Amino acid sequence: MQKKIQKDRGSVTVLVLSSILVILLVLVSIYVASNNRSRTEKETFRKIKEAYDMTEEEMQELYDKITTGKLEKLNPPEMLDGMKKIMFTEPTEEKKGEIVQEGEADFDEKQWYSYKTGKWANAQTQDGSMWVWIPRFAYKIEEQPEYSDNVATSGGSIKIKFLIGNSDEYYADDGSIETAKREDANSSEYKVHPAFTKETDSNYENGGGNRELTGIWVAKFEAGYAGGNNNAPIKESEQEYSKSTMTLGETEITETDNNSARNWLDGVYGANKTKIKYPTFQGVTYSMNYISNNDAFAIAQGLTEQGNIYGFTDNASSHLMKNSEWGAVAYLSQSEYGSNKSNVYINNITLNSGKEARSSEKGQTGVESVYAVTGVTGGTKSGKEVEADITDINNTTANTASVKGVYTWNQRTGQNASSTGTIYGIYDLNGGLAEKVSDYVANDNKKLLENGANYANGKSSQYVKAYASGESSRNNNFSANSEIYGDAISETSKESGNTSSWFEDASIYPEGAEPFFLRGGNWSEKESAGVFNYEKTDGSGAYNLGFRAVLVAK
C-alpha cells in the first residue's frame, strides 16, 4: 500500500495556500532547519512521518511541494497495473471534451486532478474503461434539508475532511492534526467513512472491509457490453451465467417473467452453459442488463482474473459495489468537492429496442435487448424518459443535443450528469439502469438462494453487508438498520416511504421476496431516481437493472 507522498501526486490548478498549509509550511521549515523543536512540533511531525512512512529526505520533498503549491491534502491515487492516468480537455460550446492520456504531449501531470475544483482523479485501463479515485475521508452531515410530509425536494449539507494515509487523522482548519470518530461520533464530529475501514472485529457492521484503505477506484460509468458501441475486446471470462430465465421488458414479449435467459451479446442462451463476457465501463455504451445478482457479483470479482481485458494483475482486487461505497460517492458528490448540494442530471435515455418480440432467431445481432446507454442525459435533473437510437446519440456535436434531445458525458451540458458537474466525475448515478449492489436483507427468503447463491448466505464479509431483518415489513427493516451509517440510506431519508430520500428520491427498503438493494433508479423514474435513491429487487436479471464495479489495491 502506498503511504509515501509521491512526486506524481498531482497538483491544484490555482491554489492559494490555506492557513493549514501555511502552518504546515512553518512546521516543516522548522523541521528542516533545526533540531530544536518544541514538544508539540515533534508530536505533529511524528504523526506525519508515521502516516506517510517518511524519511528526512522526504520531509524535505514535502517542504518543496508546499512551497511550490503542489500539495493537495488527500491520499494520492494508488495506480494499478493496466492503468494509465487520464485527464480531459474542457468541454465548451464549440467542442466536446477529449481524453488525454499520460504519455501524450498534452498530458500535464500538474493538472491531473484537483478535488477542490471538482476534478477527481481519473485513470483508464487497456480496454478503454475509466475509473475514478475516491480518497479516504471523514464526513459529517452538517444540515438536513427541509421536509414536508417526509418529502425533501433538496439535499442536505455534508462536510468532508480527507484523511492522512490509512489513519483516522485529518488537518483541522487551524493546522492541527485531529482524529475523526467512528461509530461513537455525534452530529458535530467528523466520522470516518466506513467504505475505507477495517470492520472485521464488528462483523462488518457498516459495510467496511478487512483492512484500512487509503481510497478506492469506482467505475466512472455503469457496466456496459464490450463491443456495444465501443472498441473494447469481446472476451469470455471464467464466470458462467447461473440463471436460465429472465424478467423481460414489457415491450419484448407478453409474458414478462421466467422467459429464456438472453442478452444483447449472447442472444437467447437459456439453460446452455454460457460464459459471461467481460464488461466495459465506458461512456455512450450499451448498458449491461439481464444479469442476476449472483452473476453480477461473480463477474465483478472476475475482472482481475488471469487473462482479463483490462491489464489487471495480482496487485488489484475487484468486486461488486457495496452500499457503503455507493454512500461514499454520494457524500463526496454532495460536498463542496462535488456537485455541492446540487442534484445531478438524470440519465433518462432509452433505446427501447425491444419493440419486437425477441426470439431465438432474432437478436444474435442488433440491439433488440438494449435499453439504457451509459453517460447520457436529456439535460435535466428529473425529466421524463427520452427514446432515442444509437445513431442519433453518436451524432451529437459540440454542445448541441442530438435530434432527440440527448447530450453525452463529454459535452458541456452532458457533464452535469456527473457527480461533480464536471467531466471528471462519476456518471449514471441518477438513472440509466438501476444498479445492483451486493447488499441484502438477511430474511431467509428463498430468493436469496435463487439469485444470490454465491454470497447471500446471511453472513457479512468484506464484499457484502447482510442487513438485519425486522418483522416482515420494509419499515421494520428500515428501523432495524437505522444505526448503520455511511450508506446514504438512514442518514439521508426519513423512512422507507415512497420518496423520503434527499431530492425526493425513492426510499423503498428491501423486504420479503425482494431482499436485495438497488441504487440510483432507472431511466424512467423521473424525480424518484437519483444519487440518494434506494429500492428493492428479487435479484433476478431484468431489462432495466445493471451493476457497477469497484477496485482496491492489494
Side-chain angles (χ1 to χ4, degrees):
M1 182 177 293
Q2 284 183 311
K3 290 185 179 179
K4 297 182 179 181
I5 295 179
Q6 306 281 334
K7 289 185 178 180
D8 64 354
R9 176 164 198 153
S11 64
V12 182
T13 306
V14 179
L15 177 62
V16 179
L17 292 178
S18 67
S19 59
I20 299 172
L21 293 184
V22 171
I23 293 172
L24 187 56
L25 172 59
V26 172
L27 292 174
V28 175
S29 301
I30 295 171
Y31 185 91
V32 171
S34 173
N35 288 323
N36 298 319
R37 298 183 298 277
S38 70
R39 180 177 300 177
T40 301
E41 290 161 355
K42 288 180 179 179
E43 178 64 13
T44 299
F45 277 96
R46 181 191 66 78
K47 291 181 177 181
I48 295 173
K49 285 168 70 71
E50 287 180 358
Y52 289 107
D53 190 23
M54 296 174 69
T55 64
E56 297 287 333
E57 290 75 16
E58 287 164 338
M59 287 297 290
Q60 179 66 54
E61 182 180 345
L62 173 61
Y63 172 81
D64 293 340
K65 280 182 177 287
I66 296 171
T67 57
T68 56
K70 294 181 180 179
L71 181 65
E72 189 159 18
K73 304 179 296 301
L74 54 87
N75 289 327
E78 298 188 62
M79 296 296 290
L80 306 173
D81 291 342
M83 279 184 169
K84 285 192 174 182
K85 304 169 187 175
I86 57 171
M87 53 185 296
F88 306 94
T89 60
E90 291 296 328
T92 66
E93 290 296 325
E94 292 76 32
K95 192 174 182 181
K96 290 183 178 181
E98 296 179 351
I99 299 171
V100 181
Q101 199 174 79
E102 65 174 317
E104 296 179 1
D106 291 337
F107 184 84
D108 185 350
E109 185 78 32
K110 299 176 182 178
Q111 307 297 325
W112 179 26
Y113 62 84
S114 170
Y115 285 68
K116 288 181 179 294
T117 57
K119 292 175 62 175
W120 296 0
N122 281 242
Q124 190 170 39
T125 43
Q126 293 175 4
D127 68 306
S129 291
M130 286 177 266
W131 307 86
V132 180
W133 177 250
I134 307 298
R136 182 185 181 94
F137 66 79
Y139 74 95
K140 66 177 177 180
I141 298 178
E142 193 170 59
E143 184 179 18
Q144 289 282 347
E146 291 187 8
Y147 280 85
S148 176
D149 294 327
N150 285 335
V151 174
T153 57
S154 62
S157 174
I158 297 180
K159 296 295 184 181
I160 297 290
K161 291 291 186 183
F162 293 114
L163 299 175
I164 303 171
N166 61 3
S167 76
D168 294 350
E169 296 175 329
Y170 64 90
Y171 295 114
D173 293 340
D174 64 0
S176 63
I177 294 180
E178 302 290 340
T179 301
K181 305 296 183 181
R182 298 246 176 160
E183 64 278 353
D184 60 344
N186 60 47
S187 59
S188 65
E189 297 174 307
Y190 282 97
K191 187 183 305 185
V192 181
H193 197 284
F196 311 105
T197 65
K198 179 181 178 180
E199 287 195 326
T200 53
D201 293 338
S202 62
N203 193 31
Y204 309 97
E205 62 182 344
N206 298 292
N210 61 354
R211 58 193 175 92
E212 302 291 335
L213 301 175
T214 62
I216 58 176
W217 288 102
V218 174
K220 188 177 183 73
F221 305 94
E222 63 190 17
Y225 289 108
N229 202 47
N230 59 70
N231 295 319
I234 300 172
K235 184 178 181 180
E236 291 182 346
S237 72
E238 296 177 8
Q239 314 304 316
E240 288 184 352
Y241 283 105
S242 62
K243 299 291 291 183
S244 61
T245 61
M246 291 289 162
T247 301
L248 302 186
E250 293 179 358
T251 57
E252 289 191 51
I253 198 165
T254 303
E255 298 295 330
T256 59
D257 295 329
N258 297 320
N259 292 280
S260 293
R262 66 204 64 201
N263 61 50
W264 171 77
L265 199 52
D266 299 299
V268 178
Y269 58 86
N272 296 326
K273 289 187 176 181
T274 302
K275 294 288 184 69
I276 305 173
K277 312 302 190 296
Y278 290 111
T280 193
F281 303 89
Q282 303 185 44
V284 197
T285 287
Y286 300 155
S287 296
M288 189 172 178
N289 55 357
Y290 291 116
I291 186 167
S292 69
N293 274 60
N294 195 64
D295 298 343
F297 187 87
I299 189 59
Q301 290 196 337
L303 301 187
T304 53
E305 65 192 18
Q306 188 173 3
N308 65 77
I309 66 174
Y310 316 98
F312 296 138
T313 65
D314 57 5
N315 77 337
S317 173
S318 61
H319 61 267
L320 181 63
M321 196 171 201
K322 301 184 291 184
N323 269 335
S324 60
E325 293 160 341
W326 183 281
V329 173
Y331 289 3
L332 190 60
S333 174
Q334 186 70 4
S335 77
E336 64 180 307
Y337 298 102
S339 60
N340 196 14
K341 298 193 292 184
S342 178
N343 201 5
V344 304
Y345 281 15
I346 186 174
N347 178 347
N348 56 334
I349 311 305
T350 177
L351 301 184
N352 198 19
S353 56
K355 291 179 181 178
E356 300 177 47
R358 180 137 173 132
S359 67
S360 57
E361 290 76 28
K362 287 180 64 63
Q364 297 297 328
T365 60
V367 292
E368 285 85 353
S369 280
V370 174
Y371 288 84
V373 178
T374 65
V376 292
T377 178
T380 64
K381 296 179 179 180
S382 58
K384 66 180 182 179
E385 67 180 74
V386 175
E387 187 174 322
D389 60 70
I390 198 64
T391 301
D392 175 61
I393 296 171
N394 288 338
N395 285 337
T396 56
T397 58
N399 193 38
T400 303
S402 71
V403 173
K404 298 293 180 65
V406 180
Y407 293 93
T408 59
W409 67 278
N410 51 358
Q411 292 181 282
R412 185 170 182 176
T413 297
Q415 68 183 344
N416 289 307
S418 87
S419 57
T420 60
T422 73
I423 197 171
Y424 287 83
I426 296 173
Y427 290 79
D428 307 319
L429 298 171
N430 181 359
L433 295 180
E435 295 184 26
K436 298 170 180 284
V437 289
S438 62
D439 308 308
Y440 61 92
V441 170
N443 62 0
D444 295 324
N445 189 275
K446 66 179 182 179
K447 292 296 183 181
L448 293 172
L449 182 60
E450 287 182 10
N451 297 316
N454 279 342
Y455 67 96
N457 57 8
K459 298 179 181 179
S460 297
S461 74
Q462 67 265 39
Y463 302 121
V464 57
K465 168 65 182 171
Y467 284 65
S469 177
E471 296 181 1
S472 70
S473 76
R474 68 189 193 190
N475 281 319
N476 287 336
N477 289 340
F478 179 90
S479 298
N481 297 284
S482 60
E483 297 301 314
I484 295 175
Y485 61 89
D487 59 359
I489 296 178
S490 61
E491 291 176 310
T492 56
S493 61
K494 282 284 190 180
E495 62 178 3
S496 181
N498 290 324
T499 54
S500 77
S501 292
W502 288 4
F503 295 109
E504 208 171 349
D505 292 352
S507 54
I508 303 173
Y509 220 86
E511 61 178 336
E514 296 177 296
F516 296 94
F517 282 91
L518 293 171
R519 303 307 298 258
N522 68 54
W523 70 83
S524 66
E525 293 188 49
K526 302 178 184 177
E527 292 87 357
S528 296
V531 179
F532 294 95
N533 165 294
Y534 62 91
E535 297 183 68
K536 59 182 180 176
T537 177
D538 66 0
S540 63
Y543 71 106
N544 56 358
L545 307 181
F547 70 99
R548 189 185 303 256
V550 170
L551 302 172
V552 174
K554 287 186 176 178

